[in-house]
């Protein structure tokens, strides 16, 4: 039985910081080498159906204020009731990132005024976050290292503001208010943009694999604030830290880091500006960061426990059920595909690269037992299909068992591979029984077709005497148009090898 | 029965103002659970009763329309006015800082502040959520019992709502309290008319064979300072949503969003509320939190534990509901924050979530879930609004 | 608590007090401080804080979507609305 003691994430000042790689250092104008110290706060939108504290739909892209209730638009009277799935995804994220899960976790109010915050407070976790003290392993050109996670906590998202310069107004959409987020706070263990990119990509892969979040920067389901400071190489003390927000893509983050490091070093060496601890926005178009500081001093958020929300106590049974539902880590899946199933590294990379693909592969393989075939079907046919629709591998949404059945039907000779592609299209439409579909659509080889074949062959031979003569004369290739025409007549419902032989027999006989 | 709701209970068909200009004319898109249950039980909601601005005051005098005063020139709660005008037989509302209990005490009515968690707070204007609870005020104990049975019950829409069995048990009359402890310090803190009233009630109790003893209630005196920290802090946070953006009052005078917020709130809020807001936000500041809000939560535990000790020996406790049996506008003019002195008597029940019953101008308290038993006690004493004590 | 700190509190809470209200508020702060200080003799260092008076654990709901509220109804009381949005003065981000 795990202890109920609440553990907080380690404070950065108590940590021994990893030593920088010489190639991570940046030279200032004076020739001094500087080390960049970076910590990230990543927010991911959790993949739940409803919001964190009310039952409005958690769906992006909807028309403004259509997923809103009195609670999430700041009207009085509705009380918050915690979404169980949010806690489970918080636990899942913590387990994927090797965190300690606090078995008693609570929610607190954080107060400030902004039009996208309907109650003028956000419910978050300050006193007892759900997960603490984890780590993420990254590999870069400098080798491998662990980036430590300070904590993960659950909190509500705010609404969206739409600014209209021509009416000089701002419009408020509360659809996104109270959408559940996990905030993942790292220790300041990153030393370069390369570290940051590797960390974000790894985080994204793990959280997508565990279906915690779709983690897409361009849809705002993954956001990142960068905390950055510089210090002379070899120094132990941390420099002035600035926080950067509003980078909309990983490449924007890289540009922002490069700019900000230079700005810090310039400020330190030339005194061109004063370096203050502040929040800065990133303007990707202009390629500059700008101060977002208020004229007043930083607000005190006045955290206190939300009296309407009871503590969430995670007992052993609940913990075990979430642990049991964890997927294998992607690299474990990849290794199994290569070592046990004999797939190529290329195939294994793709299949283990997304939860959707590996789920479909695993289900299909379980039915048909043919690893290479299944891999080909997914990589060539399925992903090709998605590609044409400009969808990514993560969006593969077909029934894996059905795919396995389809592969078996082709292997059995029940269905030709040409027609199998038609059936695959049906699977993308939600079909789960390929055999039934094939029957309905008359795509089964030999179903009544045996009677048809001799008649069709006779008809085609009679209509193509020239090709028949050419074949009799020794031209093998003349067989091909005959086969093709018979196939067309039979609508592909035949075994090509058997058909070829039957045509040859018919030519020889007549 | 005809029932009125106080203006902290949200309704779709009648406006809910919370006593503030900020919510003048506000129609809620949904009904409070108590409203739904009352109509479901066959009662009719007749009207809303006026309250002080977000329940911060003594007897409703900070309502944006002004104080309610009875024929004798005394301050009178809006809920009592509804009963005296025969606009309803009972009033159901939210007790945040003891106003409903004080109203009942000065007008000889019966008011039960229910045990925390047995009546749903879904659809009540949230103010001091850690302790506020629904009350019912009526002319007789039987009226209050009837209403209690209609509204007590588990509600999954309220995350603090207790399991159904506990709600039902609280509304089911059990043993009449046979032993009563009289809170010495609280009685000594009250004025002579209340002290005399306490003596009368003691005599009535003893005449009915109840064992009455004076008890050491000194720990209970800590309830007021602690509640005066917790309640303003939570209230400040809960009224920060009233910002002129989404509904309610918006100033005509603004250019920037900042001005919209500040001017709307400044124009729409009264001065008592403003003070409470500022004080409440201060006790939550990082440098104050441990010494103020956090310590107040620990003080709450000490008060609750003291109550547990007392209720192990006594079925009920007797104490004043307020320092005197009548208040005039002059009392409030002398000290507009008088509620923050008077809640010496009401804070023990507010901070602990225990049930409190006011009858005959005095206050009884019992252990959590003894709501119906307290009503049996007042019934056995013959308490009735029309009967002089 | 002094007038300058009070000004900071006013800004944080989006309020503007009159001079009389400032004086009354400062007096209120003093009374509250005095009554709190009077409890200094009570040791709470070993007392666990009590957030909930009727404590329960893990009050949660299933991840189910309910019927949406009607947007027009929610916007009915809006002081300023446009195209299904609540509208405020231009906010520079």
């Amino acid at each position: 039985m795990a202890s109920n003691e609440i553990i907080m994430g380690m404070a950065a000042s108590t940590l021994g910081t990893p030593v920088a790689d010489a190639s991570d250092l940046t030279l200032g104008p004076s020739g001094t080498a500087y080390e960049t110290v970076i910590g990230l706060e990543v927010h991911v939108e959790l993949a739940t159906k409803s919001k964190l504290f009310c039952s409005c739909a958690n769906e992006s892209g909807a028309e403004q204020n259509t997923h809103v209730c009195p609670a999430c638009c700041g009207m009085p009277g509705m009380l918050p009731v915690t979404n169980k799935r949010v806690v489970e995804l918080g636990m899942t994220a913590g387990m994927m990132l090797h965190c300690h899960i606090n078995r008693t976790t609570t929610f607190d109010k954080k107060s400030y005024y902004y039009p996208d915050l309907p109650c003028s407070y956000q419910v978050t976790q300050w006193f007892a976050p759900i997960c603490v003290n984890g780590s993420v392993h990254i590999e870069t050109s400098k080798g491998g290292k662990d980036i430590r996670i300070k904590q993960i906590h659950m909190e509500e998202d705010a609404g969206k503001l739409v600014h209209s310069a021509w009416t000089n107004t701002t419009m408020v959409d509360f659809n996104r208010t109270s959408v559940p987020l996990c905030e993942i706070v790292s220790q300041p263990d990153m030393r370069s943009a390369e570290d940051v990119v590797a960390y974000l990509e790894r985080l994204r892969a793990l959280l997508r694999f565990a279906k915690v979040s779709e983690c897409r920067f361009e849809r705002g389901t993954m956001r990142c604030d960068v905390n950055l400071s510089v210090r002379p190489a070899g120094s132990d003390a941390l420099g002035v830290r600035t926080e950067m927000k509003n980078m909309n893509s990983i490449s924007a983050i890289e540009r922002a880091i490069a700019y900000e490091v230079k700005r810090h070093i310039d400020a330190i060496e030339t005194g061109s500006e004063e370096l203050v601890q502040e929040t800065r926005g990133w303007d990707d178009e202009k390629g500059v960061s700008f101060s977002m500081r208020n004229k007043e001093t930083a607000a005190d958020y006045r955290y206190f426990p939300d009296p309407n929300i009871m503590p969430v106590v995670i007992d052993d049974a609940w913990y075990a059920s979430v642990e049991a539902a964890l997927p294998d880590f992607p690299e474990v899946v990849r290794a199994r595909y290569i070592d046990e199933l004999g797939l190529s590294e290329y195939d294994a990379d793709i299949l283990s690269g997304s939860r959707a693909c590996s789920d479909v592969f695993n289900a299909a393989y379980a039915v048909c037992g043919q690893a290479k075939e299944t891999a080909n079907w997914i990589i060539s046919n399925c992903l090709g299909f998605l590609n044409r629709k400009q969808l990514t591998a993560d969006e593969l949404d077909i029934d894996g068992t059905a795919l396995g059945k389809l592969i078996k039907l082709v292997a059995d000779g029940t269905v030709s591979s040409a027609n199998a592609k038609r059936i695959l299209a049906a699977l993308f439409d939600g079909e789960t029984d390929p055999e039934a579909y094939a029957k309905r659509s008359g795509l089964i080889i030999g179903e009544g077709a045996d009677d048809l074949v001799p008649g069709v062959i006779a008809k085609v031979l009679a209509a193509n005497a020239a090709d028949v003569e050419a074949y009799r004369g020794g031209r093998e290739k003349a067989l091909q148009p005959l086969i093709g025409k018979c196939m067309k007549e039979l609508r592909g419902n035949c075994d090509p090898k058997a058909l070829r032989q039957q045509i040859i027999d018919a030519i020889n006989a007549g | 029965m005809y029932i009125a709701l106080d203006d902290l209970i949200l309704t779709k068909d009648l406006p809910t103002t919370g006593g503030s200009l900020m919510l003048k004319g506000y129609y809620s898109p949904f009904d409070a659970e108590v409203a739904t249950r009352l109509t479901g039980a066959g009662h009719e909601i007749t009207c809303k009763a006026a309250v002080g601005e977000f329940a911060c005051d003594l007897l409703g005098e900070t309502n944006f329309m002004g104080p309610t005063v009875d024929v004798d020139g005394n301050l009178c709660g809006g809920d009592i006015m509804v009963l005296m005008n025969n606009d309803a037989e009972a009033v159901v509302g939210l007790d945040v800082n003891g106003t409903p209990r004080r109203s009942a005490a000065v007008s000889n009515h019966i008011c039960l502040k229910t045990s925390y968690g047995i009546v749903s707070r879904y659809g009540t204007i949230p103010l001091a959520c850690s302790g506020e609870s629904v009350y019912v005020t009526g002319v007789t104990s039987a009226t209050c019992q009837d209403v209690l049975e209609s509204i007590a019950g588990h509600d999954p829409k309220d995350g603090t709502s207790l399991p159904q069995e506990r709600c039902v048990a609280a509304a089911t009359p059990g043993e009449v309290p046979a032993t009563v402890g009289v809170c010495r310090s609280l009685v000594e803190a009250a004025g002579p008319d209340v002290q005399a009233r306490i003596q009368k009630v003691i005599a009535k109790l003893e005449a009915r064979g109840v064992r009455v003893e004076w008890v050491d209630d000194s720990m209970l005196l800590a309830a007021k300072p602690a509640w005066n920290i917790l309640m303003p802090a939570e209230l400040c946070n809960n009224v920060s949503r009233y910002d002129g953006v989404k509904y309610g009052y918006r100033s005509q005078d603004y250019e920037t969003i900042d001005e919209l917020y500040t001017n709307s709130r400044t124009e729409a809020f009264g001065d008592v509320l403003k003070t409470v807001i500022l004080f409440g936000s201060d006790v939550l500041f990082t440098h104050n939190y441990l010494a103020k809000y956090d310590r107040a939560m620990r003080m709450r535990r000490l008060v609750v534990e003291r109550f547990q000790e007392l209720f192990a020996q006594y079925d009920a406790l007797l104490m004043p509901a307020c320092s005197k049996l009548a208040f005039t506008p002059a009392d409030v003019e002398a000290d507009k924050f008088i509620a923050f002195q008077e809640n010496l008597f009401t804070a023990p029940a507010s901070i602990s979530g225990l049930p409190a019953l006011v009858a005959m101008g005095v206050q009884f308290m019992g252990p959590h879930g003894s709501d119906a038993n307290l009503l049996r006690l007042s019934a056995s004493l013959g308490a009735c609004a029309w009967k002089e004590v | 608590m002094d007038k300058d700190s009070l000004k900071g509190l006013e800004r944080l809470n989006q309020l503007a007090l009159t001079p009389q209200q400032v004086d009354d508020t400062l007096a209120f702060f003093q009374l509250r401080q005095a009554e709190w200080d009077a409890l200094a003799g009570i040791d709470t260092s070993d007392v666990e804080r009590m957030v909930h008076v009727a404590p329960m654990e893990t009050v949660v709901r299933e991840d189910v979507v309910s019927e949406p509220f009607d947007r027009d109804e929610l916007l009915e009381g809006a002081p300023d609305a446009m195209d299904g949005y609540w509208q405020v003065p231009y906010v520079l981000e």
Side-chain angles (χ1 to χ4, degrees):
Chain A
M1 173 73 183
S3 145
N4 279 327
E5 187 202 340
I6 292 166
I7 298 180
M8 298 302 288
M10 290 189 285
S13 53
T14 64
L15 304 171
T17 51
V19 174
D21 189 289
S23 57
D24 279 338
L25 300 177
T26 314
L27 283 182
S30 70
T32 311
Y34 290 87
E35 177 183 47
T36 306
V37 176
I38 299 175
L40 296 187
E41 285 162 20
V42 174
H43 288 86
V44 298
E45 278 186 22
L46 299 179
T48 60
K49 300 198 201 95
S50 63
K51 294 185 176 182
L52 176 44
F53 292 117
C54 64
S55 305
C56 290
N58 173 10
E59 229 177 63
S60 60
E63 230 188 271
Q64 59 274 20
N65 291 309
T66 52
H67 292 321
V68 164
C69 72
C72 55
C73 73
M75 293 176 179
M78 283 185 144
L79 295 168
V81 186
T82 311
N83 180 337
K84 184 177 178 198
R85 189 75 190 127
V86 173
V87 181
E88 289 173 351
L89 292 180
M91 276 194 259
T92 303
M95 290 170 182
M96 295 301 284
L97 304 181
H98 307 294
C99 295
H100 167 81
I101 313 280
N102 275 323
R103 298 304 198 92
T104 299
T105 185
T106 55
F107 288 98
D108 311 298
K109 296 192 186 195
K110 173 184 183 181
S111 298
Y112 63 94
Y113 270 87
Y114 206 66
D116 65 2
L117 207 59
C119 291
S120 301
Y121 63 84
Q122 175 199 30
V123 179
T124 177
Q125 298 194 287
W126 179 250
F127 295 106
I130 185 168
C131 313
V132 294
N133 299 334
S135 71
V136 170
H137 185 80
I138 61 170
E139 292 284 338
T140 65
S141 62
K142 322 284 187 329
K145 69 179 183 185
D146 286 335
I147 307 294
R148 290 163 298 193
I149 306 282
K150 178 179 181 190
Q151 70 176 55
I152 302 178
H153 62 262
M154 303 174 279
E155 62 183 23
E156 350 176 67
D157 208 344
K160 273 209 186 116
L161 301 181
V162 179
H163 305 292
S164 165
W166 80 275
T167 54
N168 201 29
T169 59
T170 288
M171 312 217 276
V172 190
D173 173 15
F174 291 125
N175 278 353
R176 207 182 59 178
T177 314
S178 202
V179 157
L181 301 176
C182 263
E183 180 174 339
I184 302 161
V185 182
S186 81
Q187 297 289 6
D189 287 347
M190 286 161 265
R191 294 289 174 273
S192 63
E194 195 193 356
D195 282 354
V196 167
V197 171
Y199 173 80
L200 288 172
E201 288 179 347
R202 179 66 176 155
L203 214 58
R204 182 172 62 182
L206 291 173
L207 296 178
R208 278 188 189 166
F209 217 75
K211 294 190 182 173
V212 167
S213 166
E214 66 165 23
C215 286
R216 291 174 65 166
F217 264 94
E218 70 279 13
R219 304 233 297 207
T221 48
M222 184 172 193
R223 297 165 229 161
C224 177
D225 297 339
V226 175
N227 290 303
L228 184 153
S229 65
V230 303
R231 61 186 176 190
S235 162
D236 242 338
L238 290 170
V240 172
R241 182 184 88 229
T242 58
E243 180 186 14
M244 278 195 295
K245 294 176 166 301
N246 296 346
M247 289 83 64
N248 294 332
S249 64
I250 294 189
S251 49
I253 291 174
E254 288 181 277
R255 289 188 284 277
I257 290 173
Y259 174 87
E260 192 67 4
V261 167
K262 182 165 185 303
R263 189 184 75 88
H264 276 229
I265 294 175
D266 277 347
I268 292 170
E269 297 218 322
T270 70
S272 53
E273 57 181 301
E274 196 200 345
L275 258 192
V276 288
Q277 183 172 322
E278 60 176 350
T279 303
R280 298 178 69 84
W282 172 250
D283 185 330
D284 208 29
E285 252 177 78
K286 295 194 187 130
V288 296
S289 70
F290 55 92
S291 177
M292 289 171 79
R293 224 179 338 156
N294 267 342
K295 19 186 201 326
E296 292 115 18
T297 51
D300 192 307
Y301 291 121
R302 290 150 286 150
Y303 294 97
F304 72 101
D306 192 324
N308 283 317
I309 307 176
M310 292 292 159
V312 174
V313 174
I314 300 167
D315 61 18
D316 287 347
W318 197 11
Y319 187 97
S321 74
V322 173
E323 203 174 26
L326 285 182
D328 286 326
F329 277 64
E331 53 277 18
V332 169
V333 171
R334 182 182 180 279
R336 193 172 76 236
Y337 288 167
I338 296 172
D339 299 333
E340 288 176 31
L341 302 184
L343 292 181
S344 69
E345 283 191 11
Y346 176 81
D347 286 357
D349 280 341
I350 296 179
L351 293 174
S352 68
S354 86
R355 179 69 178 277
C357 282
S358 72
D359 275 356
V360 169
F361 175 85
N362 294 340
Y365 175 73
V367 168
C368 72
Q370 300 179 62
K372 186 62 193 165
E373 266 306 296
T374 309
N376 283 346
W377 270 92
I378 293 175
I379 294 171
S380 309
N381 298 333
C382 296
L383 296 190
F385 194 93
L386 289 175
N387 228 335
R388 284 192 288 283
K389 294 196 162 181
Q390 294 182 317
L391 297 172
T392 63
D394 285 302
E395 286 159 290
L396 179 60
D397 185 18
I398 62 171
D399 186 61
T401 311
L403 177 64
K405 286 183 190 163
L406 176 59
I407 295 171
K408 266 185 90 168
L409 288 176
V410 174
D412 292 345
T414 314
V415 154
S416 71
S417 38
N419 280 341
K421 294 214 173 79
R422 281 175 59 179
I423 302 174
L424 180 66
L427 294 196
F428 272 92
D429 271 332
E431 177 62 63
T432 54
D433 188 344
E435 189 161 2
Y437 177 85
K439 281 201 164 95
R440 284 199 307 273
S441 320
L443 300 176
I444 303 271
I445 295 180
E447 211 142 87
D450 283 344
D451 314 326
L452 295 175
V453 171
V456 164
I457 290 177
K459 183 170 151 204
V460 167
L461 291 185
N464 294 277
D467 288 320
V468 175
E469 283 311 311
Y471 179 76
R472 282 201 182 121
R475 274 224 298 160
E476 289 277 332
K477 277 195 186 153
L479 199 57
Q480 200 45 50
L482 296 171
I483 295 174
K485 285 176 178 136
C486 286
M487 287 276 269
K488 196 166 164 204
E489 283 282 330
L490 290 166
R491 290 191 297 135
N493 282 348
C494 55
D495 179 359
K497 280 210 199 76
L499 177 68
R500 182 194 171 88
Q501 193 54 53
Q502 284 168 296
I503 293 174
I504 293 170
D505 292 345
I507 293 176
N508 290 341
Chain B
M1 251 198 275
Y2 292 109
I3 307 208
L5 301 174
D6 87 0
D7 232 3
L8 297 173
I9 311 292
L10 292 155
T11 48
K12 290 179 74 163
D13 300 328
L14 297 167
T16 311
T17 70
S20 180
L21 179 60
M22 176 56 82
L23 294 181
K24 181 179 174 190
Y26 175 72
Y27 284 87
S28 172
F30 68 102
D31 280 318
E33 183 67 11
V34 293
T36 308
R37 290 190 186 221
L38 285 168
T39 47
H43 303 295
E44 198 182 309
I45 312 284
T46 56
C47 63
K48 302 299 272 296
V51 298
E53 189 174 32
F54 295 125
C56 290
D57 65 14
L58 182 76
L59 288 166
E61 69 278 5
T62 59
N63 183 290
F64 74 98
M65 303 275 277
T68 308
V69 172
D70 68 15
V71 290
D72 300 319
N74 293 323
L75 286 172
C76 167
D79 48 1
I80 298 301
M81 187 53 74
V82 162
L83 295 174
M84 297 206 295
N85 288 343
N86 278 315
D87 287 330
E89 296 164 61
V91 182
V92 170
L94 192 69
D95 185 320
V96 180
N97 194 26
T99 302
R101 283 174 277 160
R102 284 186 288 274
S103 296
V106 302
S107 63
N108 203 33
H109 280 71
I110 292 137
C111 170
L112 169 71
K113 179 191 85 72
T114 57
S115 301
Y116 188 93
I118 66 153
V119 178
S120 171
R121 284 184 302 109
Y122 175 85
T124 63
I125 294 186
L127 294 163
C129 299
S130 71
E132 64 199 10
S133 62
V134 172
Y135 76 89
V136 50
T137 294
V139 167
T140 65
S141 310
T143 314
C144 294
Q145 175 62 30
D146 210 339
V147 172
L148 176 65
E149 283 168 22
S150 305
I151 58 178
H154 175 71
D155 181 8
K157 304 186 296 297
D158 175 352
T160 64
S161 175
L162 288 168
Q164 179 69 4
E165 319 81 67
R166 284 185 69 176
C167 301
V168 168
T172 306
E175 294 293 317
V176 181
T179 57
V180 172
V182 186
C183 294
R184 182 187 305 284
S185 320
L186 288 172
V187 173
E188 277 165 18
D193 55 348
V194 169
Q195 293 190 355
R197 182 61 64 87
I198 293 274
Q199 293 296 347
K200 261 193 177 170
V201 171
I202 292 175
K204 279 182 187 282
L205 287 166
E206 287 175 330
R208 304 198 65 82
V210 173
R211 177 164 63 88
V212 181
E213 282 168 16
W214 289 84
V215 300
D216 171 16
D217 60 340
S218 41
M219 188 65 226
L220 304 185
L221 299 177
K224 156 162 126 61
W227 188 239
N228 282 347
I229 287 187
L230 298 176
M231 180 253 302
E234 294 178 35
L235 199 148
C236 158
N237 170 272
N238 273 319
V239 304
S240 57
R241 74 189 67 194
Y242 304 123
D243 56 12
V245 170
K246 294 99 46 184
Y247 50 86
Y249 182 93
R250 183 188 282 200
S251 170
Q252 306 275 23
D253 171 30
Y254 65 90
E255 302 250 328
T256 65
I257 182 75
D258 229 15
E259 286 167 4
L260 193 166
Y261 287 148
T262 302
N263 296 350
S264 303
R265 290 164 61 83
T266 300
E267 289 164 26
F269 287 160
D271 45 2
V272 170
L273 179 66
K274 284 180 182 136
T275 297
V276 172
I277 287 172
L278 295 174
F279 180 75
S281 72
D282 184 60
V283 303
L284 292 173
F285 261 62
T286 311
H287 59 263
N288 282 334
Y289 180 78
L290 279 178
K292 301 261 166 82
Y293 195 86
D294 185 87
R295 178 162 150 87
M297 289 194 282
R298 296 164 201 267
M299 212 57 87
R300 157 184 268 151
R301 184 175 294 282
L302 290 177
V303 169
V304 166
E305 284 174 356
R306 181 61 187 139
F307 270 123
Q308 279 164 355
E309 284 168 13
L310 289 167
F311 288 129
Q313 305 164 59
Y314 302 95
D315 297 331
L317 295 175
L318 171 61
M319 66 190 74
C322 38
S323 68
K324 50 188 190 169
L325 294 175
F327 292 88
T328 65
D331 288 317
V332 173
E333 270 155 57
D335 177 11
K336 62 182 170 177
F337 300 115
I338 183 174
F340 290 80
Q341 303 296 355
E342 284 294 324
N343 66 3
L344 175 73
F345 308 101
T346 54
S350 296
I351 202 176
S352 63
L354 296 176
L357 175 71
V358 168
M360 300 174 295
V362 297
Q363 181 176 207
F364 292 97
M365 282 186 64
H368 195 284
S370 63
D371 306 57
N373 295 347
L374 291 175
L375 282 171
R376 281 204 73 191
L377 181 59
S378 60
S380 74
L381 294 176
C384 171
W386 307 306
K387 246 178 25 191
E388 256 199 54
V389 181
Chain C
M1 179 52 51
D2 55 60
K3 285 192 181 166
D4 282 331
S5 308
L6 193 60
K7 258 256 162 296
L9 284 179
E10 286 177 60
R11 270 197 299 268
L12 218 50
N13 288 285
Q14 306 288 156
L15 293 172
L17 262 47
T18 64
Q20 181 62 57
Q21 288 168 342
V22 167
D23 289 340
D24 292 342
T25 301
L26 291 175
F28 183 89
F29 268 77
Q30 280 183 334
L31 276 180
R32 300 282 78 74
Q33 187 65 51
E35 80 183 1
W36 191 237
D37 287 341
L39 297 186
I42 301 181
D43 182 12
T44 50
S45 52
D46 261 325
V47 181
E48 214 187 300
R49 64 185 181 149
M50 191 173 198
V51 179
H52 306 284
V53 294
M56 291 178 286
E57 283 174 359
T58 316
V59 178
V60 292
R61 52 166 240 277
E62 295 299 320
D63 184 25
V64 170
V65 177
S66 63
E67 277 293 309
F69 271 75
D70 179 44
R71 179 173 74 190
D72 291 333
E73 209 189 328
L74 294 178
L75 282 169
E76 215 178 294
D80 188 8
M82 163 90 86
D83 283 345
Y85 289 97
W86 276 273
Q87 193 162 235
V88 297
Y90 189 85
V91 176
L92 191 66
E93 285 206 278

